Amino acid sequence: MSSFIHPVRYGIVGPGLTVLAAATTLVMLTSCGSGGKGTRDEGVASIATPSARARQTADPDAGHVRIRLDDNEQDVNRLWDAWTDCLHDHGVPTGRKPTPDSPALKACELKYPLQPVEMDPAKNPRYSDGVRAMVKCMNGHGIKSVVSDGNWGLASGDSMNLPDFGKYKIECQVKSFSDNG
């Protein structure tokens, strides 16, 4: 049995995690200074220290584990299990949600699995096209799907029990949301 903690049901996702990710990124970027070495030019190319503006616009998702479009259910469950195991290792009891200021959230933030970038409406300008293509593809395989609130969904949860549901879901995701879609 999995030790999965549903992130939405337990209120783990949202602004708090985004702020935490941004703060950690900022700390990591600011700690990449010269390390006390001299500034003498020895004719060796070096990377310039990022400006304050560059630090502020750094991708807060950098370094996070990310689910891939072609990941099957077992792959996705392994990623979630790694995150919940990390929380447990840092003192969060199994099945319990960590508090928003929990040190475990900070310690495990990079293990929190993010959705595929192609399925993130904020990062994919073609997301709504992908949603419509996904619904069309799933319906084409006899899995009744609908567009709901700008996302795709199943007309009935019973569809998940249809033969080859997982295979068709992955096939349709890749076809609908990839750049080649």
Side-chain angles (χ1 to χ4, degrees), residues 77-156:
N77 286 341
R78 270 193 292 274
L79 294 176
W80 282 111
D81 286 345
W83 182 67
T84 56
D85 289 347
C86 181
L87 291 175
H88 180 73
D89 292 346
H90 286 86
V92 177
T94 302
R96 302 285 308 264
K97 79 174 191 174
T99 61
D101 60 345
S102 168
L105 274 180
K106 184 172 183 159
C108 301
E109 78 174 299
L110 294 180
K111 292 186 183 225
Y112 182 86
L114 300 176
Q115 289 298 314
V117 70
E118 298 91 345
M119 294 182 72
D120 182 345
K123 295 182 186 264
N124 182 356
R126 294 183 46 244
Y127 178 77
S128 59
D129 296 335
V131 167
R132 288 188 296 277
M134 181 75 176
V135 168
K136 182 178 180 181
C137 182
M138 293 294 276
N139 285 330
H141 288 295
I143 301 169
K144 300 296 181 208
S145 300
V146 295
V147 175
S148 175
D149 295 327
N151 298 303
W152 82 273
L154 298 172
S156 166

Side-chain angles (χ1 to χ4, degrees), residues 14 34 40 56 71 111 116 147 178:
S34 66
R40 188 179 71 181
Q56 291 172 351
D71 278 347
K111 292 186 183 225
V147 175
S178 69

Side-chain angles (χ1 to χ4, degrees), residues 34-42:
S34 66
K37 295 183 181 176
T39 57
R40 188 179 71 181
D41 183 4
E42 297 178 0

Side-chain angles (χ1 to χ4, degrees), residues 13-43:
V13 295
L17 191 56
T18 302
V19 170
L20 187 62
T24 300
T25 301
L26 184 59
V27 169
M28 290 185 329
L29 286 172
T30 58
S31 67
C32 294
S34 66
K37 295 183 181 176
T39 57
R40 188 179 71 181
D41 183 4
E42 297 178 0

Side-chain angles (χ1 to χ4, degrees), residues 62-83:
H64 269 272
V65 172
R66 188 168 291 278
I67 299 168
R68 295 172 23 142
L69 276 177
D70 61 350
D71 278 347
N72 62 35
E73 186 177 350
Q74 291 80 19
D75 295 333
V76 173
N77 286 341
R78 270 193 292 274
L79 294 176
W80 282 111
D81 286 345
W83 182 67

